[in-house]
Amino acid sequence: MAAGMTHDVLVIGSGAAGLTAALALAEHRKVLVLAKGDLASGSTAWAQGGIAAVLDAGDTFENHIRDTMVAGAGLNDLETVEFVIERAPAAIDRLCELGVPFNREKDDLHLTREGGHSHRRIVHVDDATGWAVQAALLKAAEENPNITLLPGQSCVDLITARNQVNYSGSGRVWGAYALVEETGEVVAHVARATVLAAGGAGRVYLFSTAPRGATGDGIAMAWRAGARVSNMEMMQFHPTCLYNLEVKNFLITEAVRGEGGRLFNPVTGERYMEKYDPERMELAPRDIVARANDDQIKRYGLDYVHLDISHQPPEFVKEHFPTIHEKLLGLGIDMTTGPIPVVPAQHYTCGGVKISLDAKTDLPGLWAAGECTESGLHGANRLASNSLLECFVFGEAAAKDILECWDTLDDPPEILPWDESRVTDSDEEVVIKQNWTEIRRFMWNYVGIVRTTKRLERAAHRIRLLREEVEDYYGHFRVTTDLIELRNLLECANLIVQSALHRRESRGLHFILDHPKTDPVARDTVLIP
């Protein structure tokens, strides 16, 4: 058993939200950043599109706020939307200072447009913005003497007052127990303040653009510790993920449609979006385009639909989408001369741990930022390129609040070490693989883009059966990363299904055939542990 470690602040997650918080905190405090896998394995590095900000002379905060509220189907919190959008230009300035090489036209930032936006306001680095942002943040963190970066750590659970040597039921968070993937030891990382920035739960679905580690760890840990979660039924499905039997999870960015890409039925040759949203066509919000693609695929028995930008000049396409163009060429697809086969896939977790404007959760000592949270920004559907923006704004907000109230935070008490005296090494790893596959398949079939109450009830029944099996397994065997992830996936699947059963209307990303109408008043679905 490794000895426990104590830090000023513990940050769980090394993506945009976690590193933004760490860099701001490190001006005054010692910070430990934990990453599952390597330091760049989260969703930030995968973000192709860009970051939304009002930077164009013809654009206004009011326009960006309105676009966000329209996409979010009125479920957004207006105060949060204003808070985030008004801080966007400053966030871009900080990234420029960190050396992010955004595309430019002469001296001005080049702005592109994506679905749901009324203006060009997406700053980007070609079609690989996330990778450039991740690299710049990591470089700054690695060079900061007050930040310790620790990869290969799978967090098992938050340390709460229940884990104190002198038990308390206060709910206070004191850090996290983490599995050291290399050695199999579980270490108690203790801190005065903890920032949860562990990403979304995309891998609960069979088809997802999320990275392998997006198993809802932060949401599940916070829920088990006693934090409320909100709007977990609002799972965003990206309309255009590459359909390829060899390459999984490759996203074709929204910006392809923003720069003129059109959707066609590969059998009829029809450009079909005018049937679903005649005014905005391919530039409609993602939920509308994803449902249109899903409808065409099911109605005609297709494997995929076509996304075509080959009517644009070849040099234009190569210049705007070099990464995608090169990737597709390697698969025998030339997007300058023909269409790209695409399917919808899970893309973003709009719900999560409920937080305030200062990134506080319900639990004392725990702040949260990024995709694991529900801040009120996205509502019932995230507007394109608002996700990285949320990470920067709430990463900063968490750091600011922690520093301001630092003197009121108690020193950590003595914490119990991780107890594995009653467990053994597993000899049944096949159980984990079987259950993982089953969860992802029934979530895709029963809790996907279009839902029914009967399908949701079937999913809930399977979750009840699996929960007993997984808890029995967890109670008898030493934890591994696969077991931790399976436990968290099942917890998140249950939160999604229970939230979906609570919402008896169709709104944004939650489209249920039994209740096709939208209620006159928008209400959050808040689950209480």
Side-chain angles (χ1 to χ4, degrees):
M1 176 68 216
M5 303 168 68
T6 303
H7 317 274
D8 286 345
V9 184
L10 174 67
V11 175
I12 301 171
S14 60
L19 291 179
T20 298
L23 287 166
L25 286 161
E27 292 179 19
H28 302 281
R29 299 291 158 203
K30 298 279 188 185
V31 184
L32 174 69
V33 178
L34 299 183
K36 184 170 66 171
D38 68 53
L39 293 166
S41 61
S43 294
T44 295
W46 290 45
Q48 292 177 345
I51 306 159
V54 173
L55 298 166
D56 187 52
D59 199 4
T60 63
F61 287 146
E62 288 73 21
N63 290 334
H64 192 178
I65 290 164
R66 184 177 62 249
D67 292 345
T68 300
M69 297 293 289
V70 168
L75 196 64
N76 333 58
D77 177 77
L78 179 59
E79 187 182 6
T80 303
V81 175
E82 292 170 344
F83 178 82
V84 174
I85 284 166
E86 287 168 4
R87 284 159 177 76
I92 300 300
D93 287 344
R94 284 193 294 275
L95 292 170
C96 290
E97 289 168 13
L98 285 173
V100 177
F102 291 119
N103 289 35
R104 292 181 178 270
E105 286 180 323
K106 297 181 181 174
D107 293 332
D108 295 326
L109 290 165
H110 178 266
L111 304 175
T112 189
R113 185 180 171 193
E114 295 180 343
H117 288 274
S118 57
H119 291 72
R120 286 182 170 266
R121 62 169 73 100
I122 317 300
V123 299
H124 62 106
V125 182
D126 295 329
D127 54 354
T129 307
W131 186 255
V133 167
Q134 180 75 37
L137 289 170
L138 261 182
K139 181 174 183 290
E142 286 166 347
E143 292 172 354
N144 192 308
N146 280 345
I147 296 177
T148 302
L149 299 167
L150 206 55
Q153 308 284 314
S154 292
C155 287
V156 187
D157 264 319
L158 294 172
I159 295 170
T160 69
R162 289 175 295 184
N163 305 114
Q164 294 173 196
V165 169
N166 296 315
Y167 175 92
S168 165
S170 70
R172 175 68 156 86
V173 173
W174 297 110
Y177 292 111
L179 171 72
V180 183
E181 293 169 359
E182 191 176 345
T183 65
E185 296 172 299
V186 176
V187 178
H189 294 287
V190 181
R192 265 208 214 184
T194 302
V195 179
L196 195 60
R203 283 307 180 112
V204 80
Y205 284 97
L206 186 61
F207 300 106
S208 174
T209 64
R212 166 69 177 73
T215 50
D217 304 331
I219 297 168
M221 287 193 299
W223 171 258
R224 287 194 294 267
R228 290 175 301 164
V229 300
S230 179
N231 297 342
M232 284 296 289
E233 73 274 29
M234 298 304 177
M235 274 286 177
Q236 186 176 77
F237 293 83
H238 198 288
T240 56
C241 181
L242 175 68
Y243 177 83
N244 187 282
L245 298 179
E246 303 300 319
V247 178
K248 307 290 185 187
N249 315 317
F250 186 71
L251 180 68
I252 307 299
T253 174
E254 188 104 6
V256 171
R257 284 180 287 124
E259 296 296 343
R262 301 165 182 169
L263 287 162
F264 293 93
N265 182 308
V267 172
T268 65
E270 179 188 22
R271 185 182 177 190
Y272 53 80
M273 275 309 299
E274 63 185 1
K275 287 182 179 177
Y276 302 92
D277 198 311
E279 187 176 332
R280 293 174 293 188
M281 300 283 282
E282 283 85 3
L283 288 176
R286 288 177 178 174
D287 60 323
I288 294 169
V289 182
R291 278 201 297 276
N293 290 356
D294 183 66
D295 184 55
Q296 288 287 309
I297 287 168
K298 287 176 176 167
R299 188 184 295 265
Y300 289 90
L302 307 173
D303 289 325
Y304 53 82
V305 293
H306 275 154
L307 175 63
D308 197 345
I309 195 171
S310 62
H311 57 280
Q312 295 281 32
E315 290 310 312
F316 175 91
V317 174
K318 291 179 198 174
E319 181 185 341
H320 279 74
F321 309 108
T323 310
I324 296 172
H325 179 257
E326 186 179 341
K327 178 78 170 182
L328 293 179
L329 276 183
L331 299 171
I333 301 166
D334 186 347
M335 66 188 290
T336 67
T337 61
I340 307 163
V342 295
V343 290
Q346 189 285 336
H347 184 57
Y348 194 85
T349 309
C350 289
V353 182
K354 201 160 180 58
I355 60 168
S356 59
L357 286 182
D358 49 17
K360 276 191 174 85
T361 70
D362 295 329
L363 305 178
L366 182 68
W367 288 256
E371 195 178 350
C372 67
T373 70
E374 198 281 301
S375 67
L377 174 63
H378 306 307
N381 183 18
R382 176 176 70 85
L383 182 66
S385 291
N386 270 355
S387 50
L388 284 175
L389 174 59
E390 182 184 38
C391 291
F392 305 131
V393 172
F394 279 99
E396 288 268 350
K400 181 172 182 283
D401 194 60
I402 290 168
L403 293 173
E404 284 178 355
C405 69
W406 187 258
D407 292 339
T408 69
L409 300 176
D410 295 332
D411 287 327
E414 191 178 353
I415 298 297
L416 292 167
W418 182 255
D419 180 12
E420 52 181 34
S421 60
R422 291 163 293 179
V423 296
T424 60
D425 289 325
S426 169
D427 57 359
E428 295 184 299
E429 287 293 308
V430 67
V431 173
I432 293 178
K433 186 173 183 182
Q434 165 62 29
N435 287 347
W436 177 297
T437 303
E438 187 176 342
I439 292 166
R440 296 177 70 205
R441 193 169 293 280
F442 74 64
M443 287 297 289
W444 182 259
N445 290 332
Y446 293 159
V447 199
I449 297 170
V450 176
R451 300 160 181 179
T452 66
T453 300
K454 188 173 282 295
R455 287 182 210 160
L456 293 173
E457 288 171 346
R458 284 179 174 147
H461 176 66
R462 279 158 177 76
I463 288 168
R464 283 194 293 272
L465 296 175
L466 283 172
R467 185 185 287 282
E468 191 175 321
E469 197 170 301
V470 171
E471 285 305 315
D472 179 67
Y473 191 98
Y474 180 78
H476 284 87
F477 300 117
R478 285 193 177 88
V479 293
T480 62
T481 297
D482 286 347
L483 175 55
I484 292 166
E485 290 182 332
L486 174 65
R487 184 173 176 238
N488 292 335
L489 272 178
L490 186 59
E491 197 72 81
C492 287
N494 185 53
L495 293 170
I496 294 164
V497 171
Q498 293 308 317
S499 297
L501 283 166
H502 270 82
R503 187 173 292 281
R504 295 182 174 273
E505 62 161 350
S506 289
R507 184 183 295 274
L509 300 165
H510 178 70
F511 188 80
I512 182 162
L513 294 174
D514 312 55
H515 306 284
K517 293 184 178 176
T518 301
D519 290 346
V521 179
R523 295 181 181 86
D524 290 327
T525 305
V526 181
L527 300 184
I528 302 171

